[in-house]
Amino acid sequence: MTSRYFKNPYEDYDETKHGTAECDILKRDTVIQLVQSYVDKILLETKKANYKLRDDLYVGEAGIAFMFWKLSRFDEFKHSYPCLEHASYYIQRAKEISRSKNKSTNDASRIAFLCGHSGISAVSAVISKDIGDSTKFSHDIEKFLTGHTVCKSNDYDADEILVGRAGYLSGAYWLNQVLSEKPIKNDIIEDVCDKLIKRGREYSRSKRCPLPLMYEYHDSDYLGAAHGLCSILHMLLESPWFVRTTNGVFNNISKTKLQDVQTAVEYFLGIQDDDGNFPTRLFNLNKKLIHWCHGCPGAVYLLAKAYLIFKEDKYLLACRKSCQAIWCQGLLRKGPGICHGIAGNGYAFLLMYRLTQERKFFYMAAKFMEFLTTDQFLNGARTPDRPFSLYEGLAGTVCFLIDLLQPASAYFPFMDVFDIKFHQP
């Protein structure tokens, strides 16, 4: 497995050497310059005639639009670039590409968040809100809500993050997180969760799985965040079902659903190996990767959410073990991106820094940023297929760098475990 990652050249955190203040650990000017160099490159390369156009959030124009929207909310960059103008340009280009496919009424396009039109609609809505276009904002929300019908349908067979029901939920939570209106109502979210529970039970029974909820994607029993179980369970835990009353109980979820979700989470926790990582598939426990899409860098979001909800230290311990595995083997040769690259692995440290306020995790994240500037990385890393995109390329790396500058509010795109994301009745 050593060919998949660079050996970590950095020593472990020591407060007597590395300081205890964020300013001692991170050189902000270096990060700002790196962001500017990446953004300038994205602007230059994506305007060239040979640039390969694609519409979606995952590796298309909508993902770059999201990056510029995120930049617009940070004081040190919103005056350096016309961020919302750029965001509007790229999201409009995404819409035009999407329309040219003639798939606007296709079920997969309506529900798919990272790889379909619901993600484009969600990001467009937020951009429209910020630029003050109320007509376009309302239209974008209406377009996003058309995916609700598909989610409830028995005919749609995808449940994971990229094109399935869990991805649609992540978009709904994000919209409610960043928009004061919280436009996605609880009953819509609970409808989708109910469908996920039903489908997870049915698949688990049919395949005789050792846990009550299980899912498949392209005939594979994936466990990782991009295609599998852990992000589906995470999105269930984000639902209004798991909001405690003043008496400290969950009163919006039945005992059987609660038991099935909690049992599935505990089963997933139980297959973490001694090094802190997780298998890629349920029935192939030997294959392991340390990417957000497969392995512990994506699993930490489920584990952190479980810790926040169930208040059991075993989940926090699992997060710590995961971060140690990422520290040792997370400087990936695949590139800088957030799906299967260094920035995505660095995000796990920012999550743990918010969760624990322990400086060592901020130090780890800062060192992963620093490695992006080394000759070893620049000469030895692979170039992603979509080198300027949100999930594979520099747009996602920019998001990670921005969050390094504001770690108190840092979150992996569309997977924030801390903020309330449901409609208050």
Side-chain angles (χ1 to χ4, degrees):
M1 187 174 174
T2 54
S3 63
R4 294 183 178 274
Y5 61 89
F6 299 97
K7 183 179 178 181
N8 190 330
Y10 303 110
E11 60 184 350
D12 290 345
Y13 174 70
D14 182 339
E15 67 177 35
T16 63
K17 292 181 179 180
H18 306 121
T20 57
E22 290 177 4
C23 61
D24 295 331
I25 295 170
L26 183 73
K27 296 178 180 179
R28 292 179 67 86
D29 289 346
T30 300
V31 179
I32 290 169
Q33 291 171 9
L34 191 57
V35 168
Q36 290 173 338
S37 69
Y38 285 164
V39 172
D40 290 344
K41 189 169 186 177
I42 291 168
L43 286 169
L44 176 66
E45 298 295 333
T46 59
K47 303 293 179 64
K48 291 182 176 180
N50 63 347
Y51 171 66
K52 296 179 181 179
L53 289 167
R54 190 164 139 169
D55 58 351
D56 57 33
L57 276 173
Y58 187 70
V59 291
E61 306 302 279
I64 298 175
F66 171 82
M67 179 206 75
F68 275 111
W69 170 81
K70 189 175 180 75
L71 274 174
S72 75
R73 296 197 157 200
F74 191 68
D75 289 340
E76 290 180 78
F77 297 111
K78 68 181 181 182
H79 300 302
S80 302
Y81 302 93
C83 295
L84 287 177
E85 290 181 24
H86 287 319
S88 298
Y89 169 80
Y90 283 100
I91 202 65
Q92 185 59 35
R93 199 151 76 162
K95 288 181 172 181
E96 291 170 0
I97 299 165
S98 182
R99 282 194 293 266
S100 71
K101 295 178 180 179
N102 294 319
K103 291 184 178 180
S104 60
T105 59
N106 179 274
D107 281 353
S109 180
R110 287 162 61 194
I111 184 177
F113 187 70
L114 294 185
C115 293
H117 199 84
S118 75
I120 297 171
S121 297
V123 172
S124 181
V126 172
I127 295 169
S128 298
K129 180 70 174 180
D130 280 5
I131 64 176
D133 191 332
S134 58
T135 300
K136 186 178 290 187
F137 168 75
S138 298
H139 177 73
D140 290 330
I141 294 296
E142 289 175 7
K143 289 283 288 183
F144 179 84
L145 288 172
T146 62
H148 175 220
T149 303
V150 183
C151 286
K152 294 194 299 181
S153 169
N154 292 325
D155 298 327
Y156 195 71
D157 63 356
D159 296 307
E160 45 71 84
I161 282 283
L162 267 69
V163 299
R165 292 174 177 85
Y168 188 78
L169 284 175
S170 74
Y173 299 141
W174 179 71
L175 285 170
N176 283 353
Q177 173 190 352
V178 300
L179 295 171
S180 59
E181 297 91 338
K182 296 192 182 298
I184 314 303
K185 302 298 188 287
N186 290 2
D187 57 349
I188 292 174
I189 291 170
E190 290 173 0
D191 279 348
V192 182
C193 291
D194 277 328
K195 193 67 178 180
L196 278 173
I197 292 285
K198 181 180 179 181
R199 287 178 54 81
R201 286 170 172 170
E202 290 173 350
Y203 181 79
S204 181
R205 284 195 297 266
S206 68
K207 298 295 182 179
R208 298 181 179 180
C209 298
L211 69 168
L213 302 175
M214 189 58 203
Y215 305 84
E216 68 172 337
Y217 180 74
H218 287 182
D219 299 319
S220 294
D221 50 322
Y222 289 116
L223 297 170
H227 301 302
L229 176 70
C230 74
S231 57
I232 297 172
L233 293 176
H234 174 197
M235 293 305 130
L236 289 171
L237 291 181
E238 293 284 3
S239 75
W241 288 348
F242 289 94
V243 177
R244 293 185 185 272
T245 67
T246 54
N247 295 325
V249 299
F250 308 120
N251 66 353
N252 291 322
I253 184 172
S254 69
K255 289 183 179 180
T256 55
K257 289 176 184 175
L258 175 60
Q259 183 177 22
D260 283 355
V261 173
Q262 192 163 11
T263 301
V265 173
E266 289 184 356
Y267 178 86
F268 183 78
L269 174 68
I271 58 174
Q272 186 178 37
D273 65 25
D274 292 340
D275 293 329
N277 202 14
F278 292 85
T280 61
R281 293 179 173 88
L282 179 63
F283 294 115
N284 182 3
L285 299 182
N286 294 320
K287 185 176 181 181
K288 298 170 185 177
L289 299 169
I290 296 186
H291 305 170
W292 169 79
C293 48
H294 297 290
C296 57
V300 293
Y301 301 95
L302 168 62
L303 299 171
K305 192 66 187 183
Y307 171 69
L308 291 169
I309 289 175
F310 300 122
K311 313 296 184 184
E312 296 184 53
D313 286 342
K314 61 185 179 182
Y315 296 114
L316 183 60
L317 176 61
C319 288
R320 292 184 184 279
K321 290 174 63 178
S322 292
C323 283
Q324 187 58 38
I326 299 166
W327 178 244
C328 294
Q329 301 178 22
L331 292 171
L332 300 178
R333 293 182 180 270
K334 282 195 169 186
I338 63 172
C339 182
H340 37 264
I342 290 174
N345 287 354
Y347 256 122
F349 303 137
L350 290 180
L351 167 70
M352 281 297 286
Y353 183 45
R354 285 188 70 183
L355 196 62
T356 68
Q357 290 300 297
E358 294 175 16
R359 286 291 194 269
K360 70 176 182 180
F361 293 114
F362 185 69
Y363 168 83
M364 291 174 171
K367 289 304 177 186
F368 270 42
M369 177 282 299
E370 184 178 318
F371 191 77
L372 295 172
T373 67
T374 64
D375 290 341
Q376 188 179 12
F377 174 78
L378 294 172
N379 297 326
R382 303 169 196 166
T383 300
D385 293 337
R386 301 278 180 164
F388 314 109
S389 64
L390 181 60
Y391 276 76
E392 287 189 357
L394 293 182
T397 312
V398 168
C399 293
F400 169 64
L401 297 176
I402 296 169
D403 280 335
L404 260 177
L405 297 173
Q406 47 188 13
S409 57
Y411 66 94
F412 189 97
F414 316 111
M415 296 188 77
D416 190 353
V417 306
F418 296 97
D419 291 338
I420 296 174
K421 312 174 188 70
F422 53 88
H423 178 74
Q424 297 281 6

